[in-house]
Amino acid sequence: MYDLIDRPLDALGPGDRFLVDAIRLWVAARTACQCPASLLAARFAQAGALDALDDFDLWMEHLSNHARVPIQINCKCGLVTDDESVLLTLARDLVTGRDAKARTTLSLLVADAAIAPTFCALARTAAMLGHVGLPPGTSVKT
């Protein structure tokens, strides 16, 4: 996680960059009272990841509606923020088989009843992004 905080977005691999952009756009759409999935559909389709959109939207909904504390996403910053690094690390953990670590982290982020559905939505999102060549966790440029 700490290797991501305050990194420029262009230093991230394509999967991480795609995920941060999607998270930021989702938050911006939600803040503007727009349907995030509708606004993200073209971007996901262009990346060949349209099948991941529903699970991504569900993951973000769970984070938004069941967060123990507000998750701060800075939609205008060119750097990875603290909370964005936590979300990226969650996705990376699932891609690399560290499911128990991801569940522990989620237990700190969302209410108990939301842990399992949030975990499943994120796991499916990360797996689908991996299938289209955008796996979270690709190397960070130093």
Side-chain angles (χ1 to χ4, degrees):
M1 173 175 69
Y2 296 108
D3 65 325
L4 297 170
I5 297 172
D6 292 334
R7 288 278 187 183
L9 292 178
D10 60 0
L12 299 177
D16 289 335
R17 201 168 41 248
F18 179 84
L19 201 51
V20 170
D21 287 342
I23 290 167
R24 289 179 176 191
L25 287 170
W26 192 96
V27 169
R30 185 78 178 260
T31 301
C33 297
Q34 297 176 330
C35 175
S38 295
L39 292 175
L40 286 166
R43 183 171 295 241
F44 273 69
Q46 182 180 21
L50 193 56
D51 288 343
L53 180 57
D54 287 341
D55 285 310
F56 173 79
D57 187 50
L58 185 59
W59 173 47
M60 295 301 294
E61 282 285 336
H62 284 304
L63 287 173
S64 178
N65 295 333
H66 303 287
R68 293 186 186 274
V69 295
I71 296 171
Q72 302 297 313
I73 304 297
N74 183 349
C75 299
K76 296 178 183 172
C77 177
L79 304 174
V80 177
T81 65
D82 292 356
D83 287 349
E84 289 167 345
S85 70
V86 171
L87 300 181
L88 282 177
T89 300
L90 275 169
R92 287 173 163 205
D93 286 344
L94 288 169
V95 167
T96 57
R98 294 184 294 233
D99 295 10
K101 183 176 177 236
R103 281 187 192 277
T104 299
T105 303
L106 276 175
S107 73
L108 300 172
L109 296 177
V110 297
D112 291 344
I115 294 170
T118 306
F119 177 91
C120 290
L122 174 55
R124 288 188 303 262
T125 300
M128 285 186 234
L129 290 176
H131 289 308
V132 299
L134 292 171
T138 50
S139 62
V140 175
K141 300 173 196 168
T142 53

